[in-house]
Amino acid sequence: MSNRARNIWTQAEAKYFQQLQATLKAQGFLRPSLVIDLDRLDHNIQEVMSSVQRAGKQLRVVEKSLPCPGLLGYIANKTAARRLMSFHQPFLNQDAGLWPDADILLGKPMPVAMAERFYQKHRGAFDPRRQLQWLIDTPERLQQYLALARKLGTRLNINLELDVGLCRGGIAEGRAGTEALRHILSTIEQQPEHFAFTGFMGYDPHVVMLPRLLGTPAKLLAHAMAVYRERVDQVQQDFPALWAQATEIKDQPGLTLNTAGSPTYRLHETETVSNEISVGSGLLKPADFDLPSLSGHQPAVFIATPVLKNTGPLRLPGLGDPARLLPGLGRGRRDTIFIYGGNWLADYVWPPGLKPNRLYGRSSNQEIATVSASVGLKADDLVFLRPRQSEAVLLQFGDLVIVRSGEAVDTWPVFDQ
């Protein structure tokens, strides 16, 4: 990037954060706040939906990465998506209460005690027999769920986790996986009053995360989908009645062949094995998602927190001004600031050059950072950080601050844990 282009971007960045700071200060947001930018979110939604439409697939929104009813509702309205992926029993119960028409797939195998707790707490019109799919990874877990189904006197919809190369569990490739799947499908077929087969889930972020030495994304994706195709073929050939039941969509969720995630969703535009893709964090693009595959997305989530103190040049307990002892430290004077809170899974992004102080270390109360004295930060000015993840950070700040065109337009509560 040329210096001129970098300067233009810096000017645009400065205008963006200066306006955001003025808005938040004027409206009294002088505590650590999690900010969602709807204009940037809209851009990212359009990126995702354009790809989903080119692929001819359905979108499943990953709730754990967007753990806020208002945020999920906004995305659902923009995308017309009614498919959710849930990872946490308390959130699952809230999903079912908030969206009685949702189709919900578990994104990880849930301990059976937590599955039972869902049924104990569930109230409302959401019908788990038609709308909820439990994720199963082993024959042993399936037996646990069979005991639960018998205890509850109900039928559970079973989606099966595939290991398509991530090595995080699920039905493996090769002979061992073939035998495990045969065992699982036989049990499902023998228990029609308690089980219905609904499809597969194969998560594949390794496709873009692994070093190129281990394979290009195209090669790794081809392998992942070949594994996926082998399991689809196994059901169609060895258990045709289960496959037919899943495709009939009669009193159960429709056939769900779920794959992808935010890092890889674009790569699935041409494969024809899956019928839906999952996206969550990519809609907000926290820093861990600065990937070539998401280059068209914009960061849409920030932490804003006020400066509590600017104490000038660095002073250390017992030493005072270290520049007295090491004169070289005095060159290019930097101010020492203390912020409200800190130690989040996030990185400083504004003002430029703001950095945590490594000598002091991190603090969750009044984190110390340094910045060029020329910036002129003073008490009650806001500094901005960019979360590295969304699911781990969005739940730490209370109500989210929602901005549009640089103005704070709403606050949205997050899920109750």
Side-chain angles (χ1 to χ4, degrees), residues 346-360:
D347 301 302
Y348 292 100
V349 292
W350 191 263
L354 185 62
K355 297 178 181 179
N357 187 301
R358 294 181 179 178
L359 291 175
Y360 266 82

Side-chain angles (χ1 to χ4, degrees), residues 130-177:
R130 294 186 302 103
Q131 298 170 257
L132 178 60
Q133 303 178 62
W134 297 101
L135 193 68
I136 295 296
D137 56 337
T138 64
E140 293 76 18
R141 196 182 303 273
L142 186 67
Q143 289 299 317
Q144 295 175 345
Y145 275 68
L146 177 57
L148 175 63
R150 286 170 172 164
K151 180 179 179 179
L152 298 176
T154 193
R155 190 195 68 205
L156 308 179
N157 300 304
I158 303 300
N159 191 287
L160 302 175
E161 182 179 22
L162 300 179
D163 182 354
V164 294
L166 184 58
C167 300
R168 197 176 66 176
I171 297 166
E173 59 183 296
R175 181 176 298 179

Side-chain angles (χ1 to χ4, degrees), residues 34-37 284-286 299-303 385-387 390 394:
L34 201 292
V35 178
I36 304 289
D37 187 313
L284 296 178
K285 200 181 182 183
V301 57
F302 300 99
I303 298 167
L385 302 92
R386 188 173 167 211
S390 55
L394 263 68

Side-chain angles (χ1 to χ4, degrees), residues 50-205:
S50 295
S51 178
V52 169
Q53 290 160 5
R54 286 192 296 269
K57 303 183 190 296
Q58 296 293 321
L59 171 66
R60 190 172 293 274
V61 180
V62 180
E63 150 248 83
K64 74 172 175 63
S65 304
L66 310 157
C68 165
L71 181 57
L72 286 168
Y74 181 87
I75 293 167
N77 289 336
K78 285 280 185 176
T79 62
R82 286 298 177 266
R83 303 184 185 205
L84 283 176
M85 181 175 283
S86 181
F87 291 75
H88 187 39
Q89 174 265 314
F91 294 176
L92 176 59
N93 281 98
Q94 291 169 79
D95 293 337
L98 290 165
W99 297 290
D101 63 338
D103 171 336
I104 304 178
L105 169 65
L106 270 292
K108 64 186 176 189
M110 190 68 62
V112 71
M114 295 296 97
E116 183 173 7
R117 185 169 297 176
F118 164 78
Y119 287 99
Q120 291 170 344
K121 293 182 173 293
H122 176 56
R123 304 289 184 275
F126 178 88
D127 183 0
R129 283 177 61 96
R130 294 186 302 103
Q131 298 170 257
L132 178 60
Q133 303 178 62
W134 297 101
L135 193 68
I136 295 296
D137 56 337
T138 64
E140 293 76 18
R141 196 182 303 273
L142 186 67
Q143 289 299 317
Q144 295 175 345
Y145 275 68
L146 177 57
L148 175 63
R150 286 170 172 164
K151 180 179 179 179
L152 298 176
T154 193
R155 190 195 68 205
L156 308 179
N157 300 304
I158 303 300
N159 191 287
L160 302 175
E161 182 179 22
L162 300 179
D163 182 354
V164 294
L166 184 58
C167 300
R168 197 176 66 176
I171 297 166
E173 59 183 296
R175 181 176 298 179
T178 298
E179 291 304 313
L181 180 56
R182 182 178 293 116
H183 188 166
I184 287 171
L185 293 173
S186 294
T187 302
I188 293 173
E189 191 169 58
Q190 293 163 13
Q191 300 289 334
E193 70 276 24
H194 293 308
F195 286 145
F197 168 74
T198 58
F200 294 112
M201 188 275 280
Y203 183 45
D204 58 13

